[in-house]
């Protein structure tokens, strides 16, 4: 069975004033053109007509014009982010990475009077070989991550791991309530872990009680500092006292959040300690300048 050859005729239909014109499609028999070919031809013609019409009303999209339409540029970037300066990953660290890459080439080795760079911009003693890795925490975590049959309940576990590491791993598995180390936990951290931290703080502070519900476990100190400063800094008049010299995450985050850095000097001759007099002096100066000091690092 063969299909009847047809052509597709398209005509404009007048519409009400102010409304777009409508197009009407009519099928007519044509022995030279198949139905599918006719539809394809007319669809392409209609598309070309629409493209031509729309191009009359749109300016040419130049490279400069497209660049100006970008949603994220240095001009549209959050002003607090542009004020951030994080020396740990800043100019010196970037230059060190550049020189380190050059040292991997013959030209770089001939250019510099040294053959390696010792990067001390971050507190990473393991990477520098300054200390041996702490084996016990890694043993405990390995046992926590392993299935019981291959770890804490393995018949030869005591030959591979210290007994106190096995005991601690079993306790942690119980505190995880059988969910394993890869599951989501309470937003403050595992309750059993927080109880252990509270007990440690209480013992350290001579019996002063610490409460698990007041403790938040975070992914390192940086995220904890970020959380606290986000809660503390309410407006540009909020001040946070930080030491000088200081770990630059404090100044970077305060700048990003739009707060005010209130620096107090550490005394090098006294082992980089700070005196109460220095803290009170800087606090009073900040208050006289109209700043509302909310925190001390």
């Amino acid at each position: 069975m063969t299909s009847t050859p047809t052509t597709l005729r398209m005509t404009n239909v007048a519409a009400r004033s102010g409304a777009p014109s409508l197009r009407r499609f009519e099928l007519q028999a044509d022995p030279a053109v198949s139905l599918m070919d006719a539809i394809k031809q007319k669809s392409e013609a209609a598309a070309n007509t629409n493209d031509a019409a729309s191009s009359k009303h749109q300016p040419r999209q130049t490279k400069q014009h497209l660049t100006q339409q970008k949603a994220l540029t240095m001009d549209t970037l959050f002003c607090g982010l542009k004020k951030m300066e994080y020396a740990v990953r800043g100019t010196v660290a970037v230059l060190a990475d550049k020189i380190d890459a050059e040292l991997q080439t013959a030209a770089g080795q001939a250019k510099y009077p040294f053959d390696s760079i010792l990067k001390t911009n971050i507190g990473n003693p393991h990477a520098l070989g300054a200390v041996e890795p702490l084996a016990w925490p890694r043993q405990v975590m390995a046992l926590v991550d392993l299935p019981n049959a291959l770890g804490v309940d393995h018949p030869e576990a005591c030959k591979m791991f210290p007994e106190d590491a096995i005991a601690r791993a079993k306790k942690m598995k119980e505190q995880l309530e059988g969910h394993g180390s890869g599951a989501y936990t309470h937003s403050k951290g595992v309750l059993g872990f927080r109880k252990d931290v509270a007990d440690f703080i209480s013992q350290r502070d001579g019996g002063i009680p610490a409460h698990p519900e007041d403790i938040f476990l975070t992914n390192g100190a940086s995220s904890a500092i970020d959380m606290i400063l986000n809660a503390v800094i309410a407006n540009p008049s909020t001040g946070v006292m930080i030491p000088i010299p200081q770990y630059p995450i404090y100044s970077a985050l305060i700048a990003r959040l739009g707060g005010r850095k209130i620096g107090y000097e550490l005394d090098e001759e006294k082992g980089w300690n700070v005196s109460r007099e220095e803290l009170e002096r800087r606090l009073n100066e900040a208050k006289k300048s109209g700043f509302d000091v909310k925190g001390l690092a």
Side-chain angles (χ1 to χ4, degrees), residues 11 23 40 44 48 54 109 115 170 193 220 225 277:
T11 59
R23 287 191 174 93
K40 181 179 179 181
E44 291 175 351
N48 292 334
S54 61
Q109 294 170 6
D115 57 11
K170 286 183 177 180
F193 297 172
I225 296 169
E277 291 75 19

Side-chain angles (χ1 to χ4, degrees), residues 213-228:
E213 291 304 320
D214 296 335
I215 293 172
F216 287 74
L217 303 181
T218 63
N219 182 25
S222 295
S223 59
I225 296 169
D226 195 345
M227 289 173 59
I228 294 298

Side-chain angles (χ1 to χ4, degrees), residues 156-288:
E156 297 187 356
C158 292
K159 296 181 180 180
M160 298 181 286
F161 297 94
E163 290 186 4
D164 57 347
I166 296 173
R168 175 58 64 88
K170 286 183 177 180
K171 179 182 178 181
M172 292 178 69
K173 280 178 171 285
E174 292 174 358
Q175 292 170 324
L176 289 168
E177 299 178 349
H179 301 307
S181 58
Y184 285 113
T185 67
H186 192 284
S187 58
K188 296 181 182 179
V190 177
L191 178 59
F193 297 172
R194 288 186 280 128
K195 287 180 178 179
D196 288 343
V197 173
D199 291 341
F200 168 81
I201 294 174
S202 181
Q203 293 175 18
R204 183 198 63 185
D205 295 347
I208 299 175
H211 304 287
E213 291 304 320
D214 296 335
I215 293 172
F216 287 74
L217 303 181
T218 63
N219 182 25
S222 295
S223 59
I225 296 169
D226 195 345
M227 289 173 59
I228 294 298
L229 291 180
N230 265 289
V232 167
I233 298 176
N235 53 60
S237 67
T238 302
V240 179
M241 298 182 67
I242 59 175
I244 300 176
Q246 50 100 25
Y247 188 66
I249 192 171
Y250 294 110
S251 56
L253 290 177
I254 293 171
R256 190 194 76 191
L257 296 169
R260 177 74 176 192
K261 300 182 287 288
I262 310 296
Y264 59 87
E265 299 286 343
L266 301 181
D267 192 339
E268 183 177 3
E269 295 181 355
K270 296 181 179 180
W272 299 105
N273 286 320
V274 63
S275 65
R276 179 171 180 172
E277 291 75 19
E278 170 66 6
L279 290 175
E280 290 180 343
R281 180 183 70 83
R282 295 297 290 126
L283 175 61
N284 291 331
E285 288 178 355
K287 287 181 176 180
K288 289 179 180 178

